[in-house]
Protein backbone atom coordinates (compact mmCIF):
# COMPACT_ATOMS: atom_id res chain seq x y z
CA UNK A 1 0.00 0.00 0.00
CA UNK A 2 1.29 3.43 -0.88
CA UNK A 3 0.28 6.43 1.15
CA UNK A 4 1.32 10.05 1.02
CA UNK A 5 1.94 12.35 3.93
CA UNK A 6 0.07 15.64 3.77
CA UNK A 7 1.97 18.90 3.49
CA UNK A 8 3.74 19.89 6.68
CA UNK A 9 5.93 22.70 7.84
CA UNK A 10 9.49 21.95 8.88
CA UNK A 11 9.58 21.48 12.67
CA UNK A 12 12.81 23.50 12.84
CA UNK A 13 12.38 26.48 10.49
CA UNK A 14 8.64 26.41 9.69
CA UNK A 15 9.07 26.43 5.88
CA UNK A 16 6.89 24.11 3.79
CA UNK A 17 8.58 20.74 3.33
CA UNK A 18 9.28 19.12 -0.04
CA UNK A 19 7.43 15.86 -0.81
CA UNK A 20 9.30 12.81 -2.01
CA UNK A 21 10.39 9.34 -1.06
CA UNK A 22 13.09 7.90 1.15
CA UNK A 23 14.81 4.97 -0.56
CA UNK A 24 17.00 2.40 1.10
CA UNK A 25 18.64 -0.85 0.08
CA UNK A 26 18.34 -2.09 3.67
CA UNK A 27 15.72 -1.99 6.37
CA UNK A 28 15.26 1.14 8.44
CA UNK A 29 15.75 0.53 12.15
CA UNK A 30 15.05 2.50 15.29
CA UNK A 31 16.56 2.55 18.78
CA UNK A 32 15.92 4.79 21.78
CA UNK A 33 19.61 4.98 22.60
CA UNK A 34 22.81 5.56 20.56
CA UNK A 35 24.52 2.27 21.51
CA UNK A 36 26.27 0.37 18.72
CA UNK A 37 24.79 -3.00 17.79
CA UNK A 38 26.75 -5.93 16.41
CA UNK A 39 23.77 -7.34 14.54
CA UNK A 40 20.46 -5.94 13.41
CA UNK A 41 18.94 -6.45 16.86
CA UNK A 42 17.41 -3.04 17.17
CA UNK A 43 14.43 -1.99 19.26
CA UNK A 44 12.17 -1.65 16.27
CA UNK A 45 12.27 -2.45 12.57
CA UNK A 46 10.41 0.52 11.11
CA UNK A 47 10.61 -0.51 7.46
CA UNK A 48 11.48 -4.13 6.67
CA UNK A 49 13.98 -4.98 3.96
CA UNK A 50 12.55 -5.91 0.57
CA UNK A 51 14.03 -8.75 -1.46
CA UNK A 52 15.98 -7.76 -4.59
CA UNK A 53 14.84 -4.15 -4.73
CA UNK A 54 15.20 -1.00 -2.73
CA UNK A 55 12.45 -0.01 -0.33
CA UNK A 56 10.76 3.35 -0.51
CA UNK A 57 8.48 5.17 1.88
CA UNK A 58 6.77 8.55 1.41
CA UNK A 59 8.55 11.41 3.11
CA UNK A 60 9.05 15.12 3.46
CA UNK A 61 12.29 17.01 3.69
CA UNK A 62 13.67 20.45 4.43
CA UNK A 63 16.82 21.07 2.40
CA UNK A 64 17.72 24.05 4.58
CA UNK A 65 17.70 22.18 7.89
CA UNK A 66 18.65 18.80 6.38
CA UNK A 67 15.67 17.18 8.10
CA UNK A 68 13.63 14.30 6.65
CA UNK A 69 10.33 12.98 7.99
CA UNK A 70 9.16 9.66 6.65
CA UNK A 71 6.14 7.49 7.17
CA UNK A 72 6.21 3.81 8.05
CA UNK A 73 3.47 1.25 8.65
ZN1 LIG B 1 13.70 23.61 7.95
Amino acid sequence: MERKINTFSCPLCGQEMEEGYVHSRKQILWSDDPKERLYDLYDENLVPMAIRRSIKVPGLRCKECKVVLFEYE
Side-chain angles (χ1 to χ4, degrees), residues 17-47:
M17 297 182 88
E18 174 188 5
E19 288 182 57
Y21 292 87
V22 177
H23 296 254
S24 175
R25 295 177 71 86
K26 287 201 78 183
Q27 69 272 50
I28 300 174
L29 307 162
W30 173 264
S31 68
D32 288 336
D33 61 69
K35 283 186 285 187
E36 299 287 332
R37 267 85 165 167
L38 275 179
Y39 303 102
D40 288 343
L41 298 171
Y42 287 79
D43 302 348
E44 210 177 323
N45 191 351
L46 298 184
V47 183

Side-chain angles (χ1 to χ4, degrees), residues 10 13 62 65:
C10 171
C13 73
C62 176
C65 302

Side-chain angles (χ1 to χ4, degrees), residues 10-15 62-67:
C10 171
L12 299 182
C13 73
Q15 301 254 35
C62 176
K63 275 185 176 173
E64 286 295 312
C65 302
K66 303 211 171 12
V67 167

